Amino acid sequence: MRLFARADMAAEGRHSLFRQLGNGIAGLAGLMLVALYPFSANATEIQEVTTPAGINAWLVEDHTVPIVAIDFAFQGGSAQDPEGKEGLVNLLSRSLDEGAGDLDSQAFQARMEDLVMQLSFDEGRDAFYGSMRTLTPNATDAFEMLRLAVTEPRFDDEAINRMKTQTISGLRQDLKDPDAIAARRWSELAFPGHPYGRPSKGTEETVSKLAPADLKMMHERLFARGNLKVAVVGDIDAATLIPLLDKVFGALPAAPDLTPVPEVEPKSGIVEAVAFNVPQTSIRFGLPALKRSDPDFIPAFVMNHILGGGSFSSWLYEEVREKRGLAYSVGSYLVPFDHAGLLMGATGTRAEKAGETLKIIDEQLTRMASDGPSEEELAKAKSYLTGSYALRFDTSGKIANQLVGLQLEGFGPDYIENRNATIEAVTLDQVKAVAKRILDGKKPTVVTVGPKGA
């Protein structure tokens, strides 16, 4: 299949930047700038490669910019945190580049800076993510640094204690943030007793008790070849990439040791007001929706764009902000977890207007369920969703990220070629039917965080 990218940057700007990199003065900021430039190719082939160790990866070659981007994911995220050890996978994501192999934290960070490379890790509910960006001349050494982080993390006491301190500091800040309070409390109410209801970053109590042995245990359970998805984009060919992938991931166990996560439907119809001394009330609402594998997901995706996902053009934006000026921003979005589907929404408004804002939101949910959009609204939504899709593929980093996401969702490379046609094929009857399926007679679970009695 073919993947179309945006036009090349101006040759003058490209050559100027490369001279800076060649002179050794651009540093990490220069690498980040290169990664933001769009590809030059009009069409780029997605290759599926398999290494001798059985590592499957998607590769997009582009040799116009001397940069290589790799994104990867291990299925199994913070939902794998043992009860009482919430925040473990998050701490693991913060610790992998804090020393590995023979390099302690300071030496590891210095070596990455010398190589002008970026390395980052992050956790989601259902997957653990990693990414690396490097210049082509440094690729071999950068992949070695990635190998060390993935297969030989040190988990030194000093580094882990420092990461715990930073995490706890962030958790304390979240306790002062009404949006963070609303999000956390919503999950607790919607998913009682389920891993999705636990705080993914943990609590001060759980994080403070985590030890290097816990990180080693989770690393051994989570990192394996059998739950790995990889995408590589940039100035590298398959023959060069294959041995590098085996070098990085080939020594990992064949299969992970994941705890099964139960299927769950979030609770609906719960309303809770959290008293908090701030001038504005934060609102979080959500109700059951569809997982990504559901045949109605794409019609639901189009429906939500009209309801609240289209920012300036959505019903919620029009009714809450434009007509009444109740909020600076308001919107809704679909959350397709592996074991649950959600339609979520959020806004913030003056404390005395929270009740009115919630009433308007409820009216729009009811209106979508009973009436649905018009043909004109559907046409505009499809035009926007198909026209903006290319923006997800205009840099090497974006492409790598998208390709890993497609693999996690179980799609093949041809999804990119067929996606817009699938959107175009959505009918008004399908949108109305899925709106009724998700919204008719349903009341969202709502959490507000703001002044008491407002």
Side-chain angles (χ1 to χ4, degrees), residues 160-236:
I160 299 310
N161 288 335
R162 181 160 37 83
M163 291 300 103
K164 287 166 60 175
T165 299
Q166 291 180 12
T167 301
I168 290 171
S169 177
L171 290 170
R172 289 172 178 170
Q173 286 297 117
D174 285 347
L175 294 176
K176 303 175 184 178
D177 182 347
D179 291 335
I181 295 170
R184 175 172 168 175
R185 186 57 183 151
W186 191 94
S187 295
E188 292 172 346
L189 292 173
F191 296 110
H194 191 275
Y196 289 162
R198 302 175 192 161
S200 61
K201 295 180 183 178
T203 65
E204 183 171 349
E205 179 183 7
T206 62
V207 172
S208 64
K209 294 178 180 178
L210 296 176
D214 297 312
L215 294 169
K216 293 176 184 177
M217 174 271 295
M218 182 55 70
H219 175 262
E220 292 172 356
R221 286 183 48 209
L222 205 59
F223 284 33
R225 302 192 306 274
N227 62 329
L228 172 66
K229 309 297 181 184
V230 184
V232 181
V233 180
D235 186 23
I236 192 169

Side-chain angles (χ1 to χ4, degrees), residues 94-100 104-105 108-109 156 159 162-163:
R94 298 172 65 96
S95 303
L96 290 178
D97 63 352
E98 291 292 326
D104 64 12
S105 177
F108 193 92
Q109 296 294 324
D156 293 332
R162 181 160 37 83
M163 291 300 103

